[in-house]
Amino acid sequence: MALTSSCNCSSPAATSSPLLARIYTRTSSSSRPPLLASPSRPSPLRLPRKSNPTPRCSFRTLAAANGSSSGRRSATEEEMTIESSVRLADGELSFRGRAVLSGVPDAVSATSAAARGPVDGVFLGADFAQPASRHVVSLGAMRGVRFMACFRFKMWWMAQTMGDKGGDVPHETQFLLVESKAATGGVEEETSYVVFLPLVEGAFRASLQGGGAGGDELQLCVESGDADTRANSFQRALFVGATESDPFAAIAGAVAAVRSSLGTFRPRAEKKLPGIVDYFGWCTWDAFYQDVTQEGVEAGLQSLAAGGAPPKFVIIDDGWQSVGTDKPNAEDDHAGEADKPPRLPRLTGIKENSKFQSGKGPAITGIETLVRAAKEKYGLKYVYVWHAITGYWGGVRPGVAGMEAYRSTMHFPKISPGVAENEPNMKTDVLTLQGLGLVHPLAVHRFYDELHAYLAAAGVDGVKVDVQCVLETLGAGHGGRVQLTKEYHRALDASVAKNFQDNGIIACMSHNTDSLYCSKQTAVVRASDDFFPREAVSHTIHIAAVAYNSVFLGEFMLPDWDMFHSLHPAGDYHGSARAISGGPVYVSDAPGKHDFELLKKMVLPDGTVLRARLPGRPTKDCLFADPARDGVTLLKIWNMNKFTGVLGVYNCQGAAWSSAEKKNVFHDAGGSGAGALTCGVKGRDVHLIAEAVTDGCAGWSGDCALYRHAGGDLVVLRDGAALPVSLKVLEHDVLTVSPIKDLAAGYRFAPIGLIDMFNGGAAVEGLTYSVLVDGDGMTTAAVGQVCMEVRGRGRFGSYSSVRPRKCTLGSAPVEFSYDASSGMVILELESMPKERVHKIVVEL
């Protein structure tokens, strides 16, 4: 019997109309001035009201397209005008008549964003009295809602916060998801989801923030980052899109609408993922920091492979490049030199430093020696190296011999007011004070190409490009932050496409929308601030941040939840999250310091991982709760495999970023001294679980089998029923969720997967159900047959309502155990498959 792995239970695509539709915006009668470059003056917060026509969109259908093959436009056209259900009128922004913002100043205007898709929306802009490089305007009051915001708590990184009014929105908010409920008939509550996406318009980048005397005002900030780059009129600085019932569809639809308008970026689904995402890896950073050497790298690779968790990629982090500090000037004041921060290193050459120039023999020298050893001796498939987007932390040293072509000049970062509000110490950071050697935008194409070509010739497969947000501080004299970022990313994309054929790049310290909205090539992005092995306050914060940031970042790239230490008090907590994240899985263990029992829950003997298919994100019922601060919520994270779903449950309470102290702190609510918290877990918490059902959802009642990894329990949950899960701080559980197939009355089955691995459900790559009947239409002794294709090695589990008649592995019968009380069937896969997958048949 041929095995199939088709799954077709998602909603069918909308049927295209036979009429060719033309979509355009009906413009207002008043013209708007273009972006200007003129002397800067302070901009007012509020401006006088003016008429604000309701946005409309028109659809014209060409009669000639209906059955005509001439391709010529008919003289007769049918026109239909449709009003957007997101409307700005009479000082109120509303969705289907329900107010989202009230008291909107007339300086704020709306432009239709009509598109065929799940999200309706408008673009908002504003007019100001005078051109300036930075404007802040009120968008009105937001009340009576729940929201989740992704904001930059550091210049480099976002985190999440929740609130119920506009004033709760932090500075530097780049993504805002709002839940609004309205009573219908006095009984049910109808829920809508509104997505706010501050955008890039021209030379300006927008963000949201709370403000105003009343505490409920939402404000829009637009800034160029260059005092000489000014404007006073904006049409599409903010997109507001809305839909009902499905927040994840609202987010995806909003980003799609923005992509259609801007045309400056590509979504994750259209980008090529580098091969590293399907393999286990190792990064040198937390193992050696900048003291990395060739000998240290080889020791780490050998240590992991010997323990049964062979890495297939390595990231050689900071510490391999040729760098040097500036020489002190004779006129420098050397008094108190010991109390000053160390001088900031700058790049002095594109080749490796002396630590990596110990190749034996004249034929192979430098980093090529290490690359060859990694691939030929230790079996790695990919080698990546680190560099900053400006070359190094301090940029490229101006005037250094051999680097003149890059035209580096010293620039001193200008920190935006929003960043300074959340991270005030950036104003006195060593980078801000000592400056950066910036490669000229006209020379950066050459810089990246020569650097990457040298690495590629040595066998390097990709780069981790760090410190990306620094570009926003260096736009003065280059047309502003947006223009400089675009130029650098255009050059970076071209070089990666040319030199690293597997699209080998990871973006890091890159959480500004300047970068996101010009991302066409990079497919993997670090999802949060670093894993800090020695900072106890950081571990629960990290898991919450990567999950909520992935709600936004996952639309653009595949979020990378960062390296971690396997041999660490929180190693299991971090490791399980990486296993269900959908992103790359890699550690930064020092050689010889590994927890192989943990690693074997994530890594197969061949170095591959069981990766989920999507970015891991909080479940729908967690989107607006606060699992880091409220003292009651457990964070649930969902993801999808081909025929199963996976849920991770984490107690992240007790620590969060403090808006008062401007740092991560412990707090009392639900902290380490508190008892366990409890939540209910449902099969449909896996948002797209219906897509895991075979045969177009036929034979599925909504019931699911849930396997709890921590306790080894298998539970059958009726549709809508909840399983209680209780956890203390820093505790977690992972559950495989598998839709139960009803083959016949009393005969039910669901695959679970490799039950000793965190995301064991991803091992099931093929699944076919058959009902066996004789020629008269009556069932035979064997009622049903389940055929599965399975990756990996270890204990394979399934749910069956009856004891199987037999199980076969390949063509041979295989022993199995059956627990009648739970329905768990377990058989042993003693070795890796000789081909890609094992073929298992279960007869019921």
Side-chain angles (χ1 to χ4, degrees):
M1 177 183 294
L3 299 180
T4 64
S5 58
S6 63
C7 175
N8 184 26
C9 70
S10 58
S11 300
T15 304
S16 300
S17 168
L19 301 178
L20 177 63
R22 169 174 294 181
I23 305 172
Y24 66 92
T25 300
R26 178 176 294 173
T27 59
S28 62
S29 57
S30 61
S31 61
R32 297 172 59 91
L35 300 184
L36 303 176
S38 55
S40 175
R41 295 185 184 179
S43 73
L45 177 65
R46 295 179 180 271
L47 293 169
R49 288 183 175 271
K50 64 180 182 181
S51 60
N52 191 11
T54 301
R56 289 173 175 263
C57 63
S58 298
F59 296 78
R60 286 188 176 179
T61 55
L62 305 184
N66 188 12
S68 172
S69 59
S70 66
R72 298 178 62 187
R73 178 172 173 173
S74 168
T76 303
E77 293 183 343
E78 176 187 2
E79 184 176 280
M80 174 176 60
T81 301
I82 300 175
E83 290 189 4
S84 169
S85 58
V86 179
R87 303 178 67 239
L88 176 60
D90 300 322
E92 181 177 273
L93 181 72
S94 62
F95 174 56
R96 296 186 178 174
R98 188 186 314 165
V100 178
L101 295 170
S102 59
V104 181
D106 281 340
V108 177
S109 60
T111 304
S112 175
R116 288 173 290 185
V119 171
D120 198 358
V122 295
F123 290 98
L124 298 185
D127 291 323
F128 299 89
Q130 296 292 334
S133 61
R134 185 174 186 269
H135 298 279
V136 176
V137 64
S138 171
L139 296 175
M142 185 170 69
R143 311 182 186 96
V145 300
R146 296 198 300 168
F147 73 74
M148 187 274 284
C150 290
F151 73 104
R152 286 197 297 165
F153 75 106
K154 294 182 178 179
M155 185 168 76
W156 323 102
W157 305 112
M158 291 191 298
Q160 81 289 345
T161 194
M162 289 73 180
D164 57 16
K165 60 183 182 298
D168 296 336
V169 176
H171 285 76
E172 282 296 313
T173 290
Q174 302 185 128
F175 168 83
L176 185 66
L177 178 65
V178 175
E179 177 194 65
S180 178
K181 292 187 176 182
T184 56
V187 180
E188 296 288 334
E189 283 194 324
E190 185 181 81
T191 303
S192 62
Y193 298 96
V194 185
V195 181
F196 290 75
L197 296 177
L199 304 175
V200 168
E201 181 177 356
F204 284 70
R205 172 260 187 187
S207 63
L208 296 170
Q209 60 192 45
D216 54 11
E217 186 175 280
L218 183 65
Q219 297 176 347
L220 177 69
C221 173
V222 290
E223 55 191 334
S224 71
D226 177 15
D228 294 326
T229 301
R230 306 163 185 160
N232 67 343
S233 181
F234 304 87
Q235 287 183 296
R236 298 193 168 201
L238 174 68
F239 176 77
V240 183
T243 190
E244 293 180 343
S245 75
D246 188 345
F248 300 105
I251 296 161
V255 173
V258 168
R259 184 272 180 96
S260 178
S261 174
L262 295 182
T264 57
F265 69 95
R266 292 194 298 154
R268 169 183 51 83
E270 294 182 10
K271 294 176 178 176
K272 173 182 171 59
L273 289 177
I276 63 169
V277 300
D278 291 313
Y279 292 93
F280 174 60
W282 178 58
C283 179
T284 63
W285 179 242
D286 286 315
F288 303 110
Y289 298 109
Q290 292 171 327
D291 295 327
V292 61
T293 64
Q294 177 170 335
E295 294 75 19
V297 174
E298 290 201 48
L301 298 177
Q302 192 279 332
S303 180
L304 284 165
K312 294 299 176 182
F313 73 87
V314 65
I315 301 173
I316 303 171
D317 214 293
D318 187 5
W320 70 272
Q321 292 172 286
S322 296
V323 301
T325 58
D326 297 335
K327 295 179 180 179
N329 296 321
E331 62 270 18
D332 285 349
D333 181 7
H334 299 289
E337 192 74 30
D339 297 328
K340 294 180 180 180
R343 292 183 179 273
L344 190 63
R346 311 190 195 283
L347 195 69
T348 58
I350 63 173
K351 296 184 179 182
E352 63 275 51
N353 60 41
S354 59
K355 293 184 295 182
F356 293 87
Q357 293 177 352
S358 57
K360 298 177 180 179
I364 304 174
T365 60
I367 205 166
E368 185 178 0
T369 308
L370 177 55
V371 173
R372 285 205 176 188
K375 295 182 177 181
E376 297 174 4
K377 186 175 180 180
Y378 301 104
L380 269 70
K381 297 177 70 68
Y382 306 99
V383 175
Y384 279 38
V385 301
W386 177 99
H387 71 77
I389 198 163
T390 53
Y392 200 67
W393 295 99
V396 173
R397 185 197 287 175
V400 67
M403 306 278 276
E404 299 90 347
Y406 307 140
R407 300 165 58 187
S408 173
T409 55
M410 288 301 298
H411 285 59
F412 289 83
K414 304 296 183 183
I415 309 302
S416 74
V419 169
E421 174 68 26
N422 292 342
E423 192 183 13
N425 61 7
M426 274 305 300
K427 293 184 290 186
T428 56
D429 185 82
V430 63
L431 181 60
T432 307
L433 298 179
Q434 297 187 18
L436 181 148
L438 183 69
V439 172
H440 195 283
L442 296 179
V444 73
H445 288 256
R446 178 174 179 176
F447 172 65
Y448 286 144
D449 184 54
E450 292 182 353
L451 171 62
H452 295 162
Y454 175 79
L455 293 170
V460 171
D461 303 284
V463 285
K464 173 183 173 182
V465 182
D466 213 339
V467 205
Q468 293 198 16
C469 287
V470 74
L471 294 176
E472 72 178 57
T473 71
L474 304 170
H478 297 290
R481 55 189 288 174
V482 171
Q483 182 60 35
L484 182 65
T485 300
K486 283 182 178 178
E487 193 64 40
Y488 263 66
H489 278 274
R490 189 179 299 117
L492 185 62
D493 286 353
S495 180
V496 169
K498 175 183 176 183
N499 294 294
F500 304 124
Q501 301 304 310
D502 190 49
N503 198 22
I505 182 171
I506 301 171
C508 192
M509 299 177 75
S510 59
H511 284 192
N512 62 6
T513 45
D514 311 55
S515 299
L516 289 177
Y517 288 125
C518 70
S519 170
K520 292 186 175 182
Q521 183 81 18
T522 305
V524 178
V525 60
R526 270 279 307 281
S528 78
D529 202 351
D530 292 6
F531 164 75
F532 294 110
R534 297 169 184 83
E535 294 186 13
V537 72
S538 70
H539 301 300
T540 56
I541 291 172
H542 187 103
I543 301 305
V546 290
Y548 284 96
N549 286 345
S550 292
V551 172
F552 179 44
L553 292 175
E555 297 299 325
F556 300 85
M557 306 178 209
L558 182 65
D560 166 6
W561 290 16
D562 199 15
M563 65 194 94
F564 69 102
H565 278 174
S566 66
L567 191 61
H568 188 278
D572 212 65
Y573 189 79
H574 281 281
S576 64
R578 306 312 192 271
I580 67 171
S581 71
V585 176
Y586 57 111
V587 295
S588 54
D589 296 350
K593 296 181 179 180
H594 316 289
D595 182 344
F596 287 109
E597 291 303 313
L598 169 59
L599 294 177
K600 289 176 182 178
K601 297 175 185 178
M602 298 179 287
V603 187
L604 292 171
D606 62 357
T608 60
V609 296
L610 298 177
R611 187 172 66 87
R613 306 180 78 190
L614 300 171
R617 288 162 286 178
T619 57
K620 182 178 178 180
D621 60 340
C622 286
L623 281 173
F624 304 100
D626 194 340
R629 298 177 178 89
D630 66 16
V632 297
T633 302
L634 294 178
L635 172 60
K636 295 182 290 183
I637 301 170
W638 70 275
N639 212 327
M640 286 292 299
N641 301 312
K642 201 166 188 179
F643 298 104
T644 64
V646 63
L647 280 172
V649 187
Y650 296 82
N651 189 326
C652 300
Q653 297 288 348
W657 182 80
S658 167
S659 59
E661 299 185 50
K662 310 298 183 184
K663 64 179 182 179
N664 292 331
V665 298
F666 288 111
H667 59 80
D668 294 334
S672 58
L677 300 178
T678 301
C679 72
V681 171
K682 301 179 181 180
R684 292 188 189 269
D685 281 341
V686 178
H687 191 68
L688 300 177
I689 190 62
E691 294 189 3
V693 182
T694 61
D695 304 325
C697 294
W700 186 50
S701 63
D703 297 353
C704 291
L706 272 67
Y707 177 76
R708 293 186 62 175
H709 187 274
D713 308 321
L714 180 64
V715 178
V716 173
L717 275 188
R718 299 293 182 186
D719 191 17
L723 173 70
V725 174
S726 297
L727 301 170
K728 294 181 179 180
V729 172
L730 275 174
E731 290 184 342
H732 69 99
D733 203 350
V734 176
L735 301 93
T736 298
V737 181
S738 186
I740 297 176
K741 175 77 169 183
D742 290 296
L743 285 88
Y747 291 84
R748 317 183 81 199
F749 190 90
I752 301 300
L754 295 176
I755 60 177
D756 295 317
M757 301 191 73
F758 285 129
N759 189 29
V764 183
E765 295 201 342
L767 176 64
T768 302
Y769 294 100
S770 301
V771 176
L772 308 177
V773 296
D774 62 22
D776 297 324
M778 302 295 291
T779 58
T780 64
V783 173
Q785 189 178 75
V786 184
C787 302
M788 294 173 284
E789 294 181 339
V790 178
R791 285 177 57 206
R793 183 182 75 183
R795 294 192 301 158
F796 181 82
S798 298
Y799 163 74
S800 177
S801 61
V802 298
R803 181 181 180 86
R805 295 177 73 248
K806 66 177 180 179
C807 297
T808 58
L809 179 60
S811 58
V814 63
E815 293 185 0
F816 64 90
S817 64
Y818 180 70
D819 180 2
S821 62
S822 66
M824 174 68 92
V825 180
I826 298 177
L827 57 88
E828 187 75 31
L829 302 177
E830 296 181 349
S831 62
M832 292 291 288
K834 293 180 180 179
E835 298 181 357
R836 192 178 62 85
V837 292
H838 297 287
K839 295 186 178 181
I840 300 171
V841 178
V842 178
E843 194 172 286
L844 305 177

